[in-house]
Amino acid sequence: MLKFWKKKPAEPAATPPAQPADERVEQAAPPVVFDSSPVIAEALAETVAPEPAAPEVDAEAEGAAIAAEAQQALVEAAVEAEKPAAKRSWRERLSGSGFAKSLTSLFVRNARLDDDLLDELETALITADVGVEASTNLVEGLRKRMHKREFSDATALLKALREALVTLLKPVEKPLDVGAHAPFVILTVGINGVGKTTTIGKLARRYGDEGRSVMLAAGDTFRAAAVEQLKTWGERNKVPVVSQGQDADAASVIYDALQAARSRGTKVLIADTAGRLHTQGGLMDELGKIGRVMKKLDAGAPHEVLMVIDGTTGQNAISQLRQFRETAGVTGLVVTKLDGTAKGGVMFALAREFGLPIRYVGLGETATDLRVFDAEAFVDGLLPAALGG
């Protein structure tokens, strides 16, 4: 009964729910007071300042800039394309010729120095179109030296052969000087298909690169499309071409071209003529007429009669040159297509038979592949310096 009057203990106060530690720290932290110093205020302003609005893009100006960049890229690509490619060496160009292959394999097969090697060498030279007489003279000279024990082995014989071939070609190594007269007139002749028109285009490129003004005369009025072909070369090399169309009188065309070259102060005039076989009497007589007509304006013209010979022609080139020399007075030679399967030995036969200067040789298709003839480089391209080279 006394329990009834016992005072009840007081109820404990409500405890607030526990809060995360992070929130308690935040609430317990005193309020932050920012320093109003200018440095901190400036830093704060930079921190909270809104980003500047992007400038408005002018679509027309942007398109013009893109077009300008594209045009510049095209110009740079064109300039890069105009840069001359690296020239390939004579050996790279001539190593595939029949002459080079036959002689190189001969020395590889017969490393022993004896008469059998010399007999095979003579056969190889004749087969490569060097000619019977020239081949016999070369080999017999080497045989005498071998019997005198001047050669210790086949490598020494190879060296002696190289020297003998260079000696045979050295007298015809005479570059053409087109600066001796102005305008210097070059009349190109040759049979059909030897590459006269292409050679003219390459000569125009060469002389133009030397800083000489050049003019072309389309004197091949006999072959269809020959005039247009020469005009194409003229456009490519940026040189003027004098023409009258197909079937016009070739002597008249070249006469007009010489008049134009003299009046314009042109340094070099290169005249094309119709390709003709040495057996075609009428066309051969036309060459004589061309020469007579030019002499009415310039007693010394043409200053060079350049005959173009196909290096694959072989011994037939000798009869061609003999006839053209009598009719047109050939003064120099260009031998083309030596980079392919041409035997190349005809160079030695021509040098021994006629002694005419070999001005240029064609070692490829590009304009820079028309090279000034170099006897040592030519022989070096045909023969290795030593066995296994």
Side-chain angles (χ1 to χ4, degrees), residues 82-88 90 93 198 201-203 205-206 209 233 237 360-372:
E82 286 295 323
K83 291 182 180 179
K87 283 186 178 181
R88 295 174 63 187
W90 289 69
R93 290 297 193 184
T198 301
K202 293 178 179 181
L203 286 174
R205 168 68 180 273
R206 167 178 287 275
D209 289 346
W233 275 106
N237 295 313
Y360 303 97
V361 291
L363 301 181
E365 297 297 326
T366 66
T368 56
D369 285 327
L370 185 69
R371 311 281 181 89
V372 175

Side-chain angles (χ1 to χ4, degrees), residues 26-38:
E26 182 177 353
Q27 290 177 2
V32 177
V33 179
F34 291 100
D35 193 339
S36 59
S37 65

